[in-house]
Amino acid sequence: MKPRPRPTLARRLASGLVALAVLGVVAVVNRPMVAAGSEAFHEFSINRQSYKERYGHWARLPVPPEFRVNAIHAALLNTGKVLIIAGSGNNREAFQAGTFRTILFDPATDTFTDVPTPTDVFCAGHTFLPNGNLLIAGGTKSYEVLETDIKHAAGVLKIKNESPDHGPRFFPKGTRVTSPTGYVYLTRADVTVPAATKMQHGRQWMVHAGQAEVWVDAELAGNAPIVRRPAQYRVADLSGDVYGLADKITREKQEYGGDKTSYEFDPRTERYVRVGDLVKHRWYPTLTELPGGNVLAVSGLDEFGRILPGDNEKYDPATRRWTAAPELKRVFPTYPSLHLMADGRLFYSGSNSGYGSDTVGRTPGIWNVRTNRFSDVAGLRQPQMTETSSSVLLAPAQKQKVMILGGGEVGESPVSTARTDVIDLTQNRPRYRPGPDLPAPARYLSTVLLPDDSVLTTGGSSGYRGGAYQGRARSDLFNAQLYRPTTNRFERLADSTVGRNYHSEAILLPDGRVITMGSDPLYDRTGRNPGTFEQRVEVFSPPYLFRGARPALTSGPASISRGGKAFFGTPSPRRIVGARLMRPSAVTHVTDVDQRSVAASVAAAPGGVTLTVPSGRGLVPSGWYMVFLVDDRGVPSAGRWVKVR
């Protein structure tokens, strides 16, 4: 008996359409079938080859239950694996239990592994170092306490030691502190107060008191121990040289407190390596690499939840130590987006993630980190709408154009914007110019550079943390779009199926796909009950992955010098029209200062192409990059790792 011939693609499509038509007829009689028919037609439509060639395709990544975490941070390592950091994951119970999580995902094998996580790196800062390690600094020392949960008045007490002769003074947790009116407060932690120091000024000797700060809580519950004015306090019944000062002791909300631990995550050993502590505790800081390879840490909340008043610091990878940088004093809101310019200056786009003054430090501008001069830039429309906005250094990086997208008003405002603006930093007097509007107002929008110079924008919500917006209980955005700098417009892509707002990430993978994860909605879909962290992971395949065979990248060096040339093997060299060096992402709170795409010139050669890497540390910071070759159809190869020296 002969085997039955397989039906042709045309016949299979026709059969599918007939089946869908039958479903539609049945649905008229049996209304519950409507949803099934609609879903079936949707699945049929989005899986057609022609649809995927134009709009791309989304697919859920199956994550085993034991590896589902609250993705707060994500970074692509030079091993090709994705580092997913939760820390305590914005979960107070996990924080109190000391349960901190980090997961490694390998896209090549779709496997996950658990990584021991020593402290709560939730809401730390991070950036890649020239050696490929991920520097992670700061995190969470204490969780916020809402006003309704505070039963005992509390405040920050500054303990002064004016004696230079008796050494440091140690006070254990629970030390009694007494106000002028007789109320007693207890220290929340151990604290050591340095001895005073003697300094000679001309012919006079002066004593400078040693000091340290600590939380104190009223022994008596209620409002009676509240003190709203600066006052002096007696510490441990001591008098004279040791005393306490506090601006206020109240039952006001206590913000998250920053940590000062710092690590380098080593992609080879897949372990956190403890390095020197930060000078200042930092929660929500930005870390950005400087042209020489050092790292600058800016902004953040200190251990008492106060915005740091411009106290920035530097990390030296050679010594693995942090040092204060008083010469670079500058105030920013938390998680400011800083983009390294070709000339070594930093551009602050105005994007940030919230905490800080509603006026000071929010104006975008160019920061000369050699002189500490900051030059404001003009032209940004709706400048009050930069909180939870996104910004990206457009490709190729040589053009020095930065785009800001969406954002909202300061605080928990439900108001957001569809505005995008673009600035050309090569101009003598750079200023923002209007860009195309997003399809809808958006906060928390993920922006990912693709190897064809386009920008994928996905996720986000119109309301605060996905909450109510213009009468809708939930405001997550499922649309995705592609921005092309050459046309200065957005192109519609396939809709995602998972909402992404606060605490979400998107990262380009070496194979050209984009992985998306996270989301921390304030409410559930009804808008009435508390939300739960989104642990589903979705992967987007851009349209270029469905347009026929991709150019092969068969060989290449492990490293290359900045300004140098290197040969990369490919079987069809004359079809290669471009090459990109793409720096991997390290993203949190839609802040990604690492991502950049640098154009490398291409010359065809027998069996491959010769790439010339641009010179200039500001344009091509030292470190690991993915090399993508792009053919004459705009289709990129898979990425190949190379270290730029």
Side-chain angles (χ1 to χ4, degrees), residues 171-408:
F171 299 98
K173 176 182 177 180
T175 295
R176 294 169 65 86
V177 175
T178 309
S179 72
T181 55
Y183 286 102
V184 174
Y185 308 84
L186 306 176
T187 57
R188 194 179 291 182
D190 295 345
V191 60
T192 298
V193 186
T197 56
K198 289 182 179 180
M199 296 184 66
Q200 188 172 8
H201 298 271
R203 295 184 177 181
Q204 292 185 334
W205 285 89
M206 298 186 66
V207 174
H208 295 268
Q211 63 181 40
E213 292 181 308
V214 65
W215 275 108
V216 294
D217 298 279
E219 189 175 49
L220 180 68
N223 292 334
I226 287 177
V227 182
R228 299 192 181 278
R229 297 177 182 177
Q232 183 169 318
Y233 297 77
R234 190 169 69 253
V235 179
D237 291 328
L238 298 174
S239 59
D241 294 336
V242 178
Y243 56 92
L245 297 173
D247 289 334
K248 60 181 181 179
I249 296 179
T250 69
R251 293 174 62 187
E252 297 173 359
K253 177 188 175 185
Q254 298 167 20
E255 299 289 357
Y256 285 91
D259 197 10
K260 64 190 304 184
T261 53
S262 183
Y263 303 90
E264 289 187 22
F265 188 87
D266 188 331
R268 302 299 166 181
T269 63
E270 299 182 347
R271 289 293 181 267
Y272 287 92
V273 178
R274 182 74 179 264
V275 296
D277 286 351
L278 288 159
V279 177
K280 298 289 186 180
H281 293 72
R282 296 184 188 271
W283 190 81
Y284 267 47
T286 289
L287 273 56
T288 183
E289 185 179 356
L290 297 173
N294 287 352
V295 171
L296 182 66
V298 303
S299 193
L301 302 187
D302 69 9
E303 67 268 45
F304 304 109
R306 302 172 301 197
I307 186 76
L308 287 163
D311 298 330
N312 305 318
E313 54 189 288
K314 293 180 182 178
Y315 179 77
D316 183 351
T319 62
R320 291 187 164 183
R321 293 187 178 276
W322 291 93
T323 55
E327 73 280 7
L328 293 177
K329 193 173 183 69
R330 178 150 295 279
V331 177
F332 293 100
T334 52
Y335 280 136
S337 290
L338 300 172
H339 301 278
L340 179 62
M341 297 171 57
D343 61 10
R345 294 180 296 172
L346 295 176
F347 175 63
Y348 169 48
S349 67
S351 291
N352 65 88
S353 290
Y355 295 86
S357 167
D358 59 355
T359 55
V360 178
R362 293 184 180 264
T363 303
I366 298 172
W367 188 17
N368 188 325
V369 290
R370 297 182 182 89
T371 65
N372 198 33
R373 182 181 177 185
F374 190 90
S375 304
D376 295 351
V377 299
L380 179 63
R381 297 173 299 157
Q382 298 175 302
Q384 78 282 9
M385 294 276 204
T386 58
E387 190 164 295
T388 63
S389 64
S390 307
S391 65
V392 61
L393 177 64
L394 296 173
Q398 284 93 331
K399 293 191 175 181
Q400 296 287 278
K401 291 186 177 181
V402 172
M403 186 178 206
I404 187 170
L405 305 95

Side-chain angles (χ1 to χ4, degrees), residues 88-92 95 120 122 140 142-145 255-256:
S88 61
N90 203 17
N91 184 300
R92 187 185 302 275
F95 174 78
D120 194 6
F122 166 60
T140 304
S142 61
Y143 262 61
E144 69 177 357
V145 185
E255 299 289 357
Y256 285 91

